[in-house]
Amino acid sequence: IKNRGVQQPLLVVPETDGAYRVIDGGTRLEAARLEGLAEVPVLVLAPTTGALDLELATHMANEMRRDFTAAERAQFYLRVMAE
């Protein structure tokens, strides 16, 4: 980040107060702040994005970073299918 900036956009959703909630990229945002960057690339989800879609986006981003057990995956997808 110090040399190239943030390469992968953060995923955010607008809040009703005009702020943005980070769905994916919180660590990148913190690292950018520590390096003194005033701007980072973001992808803004529509404000009408439903809670389930936000949960799915968060889960997919997390799945790329950590090893989920088969039980954790199954529990998540069962919850998605039920809604």
Side-chain angles (χ1 to χ4, degrees):
I1 289 178
K2 184 175 187 172
N3 295 328
R4 295 182 165 187
V6 176
Q7 297 296 302
Q8 182 178 357
L10 283 62
L11 186 60
V12 300
V13 63
E15 297 283 359
T16 56
D17 63 359
Y20 291 89
R21 180 166 41 114
V22 178
I23 302 300
D24 177 42
T27 303
R28 281 174 270 147
L29 178 59
E30 184 60 29
R33 285 181 178 152
L34 289 173
E35 288 299 327
L37 296 180
E39 296 181 358
V40 295
V42 298
L43 295 175
V44 181
L45 296 175
T48 57
T49 303
L52 181 61
D53 289 333
L54 291 176
E55 185 178 352
L56 182 59
T58 302
H59 178 81
M60 296 307 289
N62 287 337
E63 189 159 313
M64 288 188 274
R65 282 194 303 275
R66 90 175 245 246
D67 292 329
F68 282 93
T69 66
E72 288 172 317
R73 273 195 191 93
Q75 185 177 38
F76 173 77
Y77 288 113
L78 285 172
R79 202 168 62 244
V80 168
M81 290 171 32
E83 297 199 27

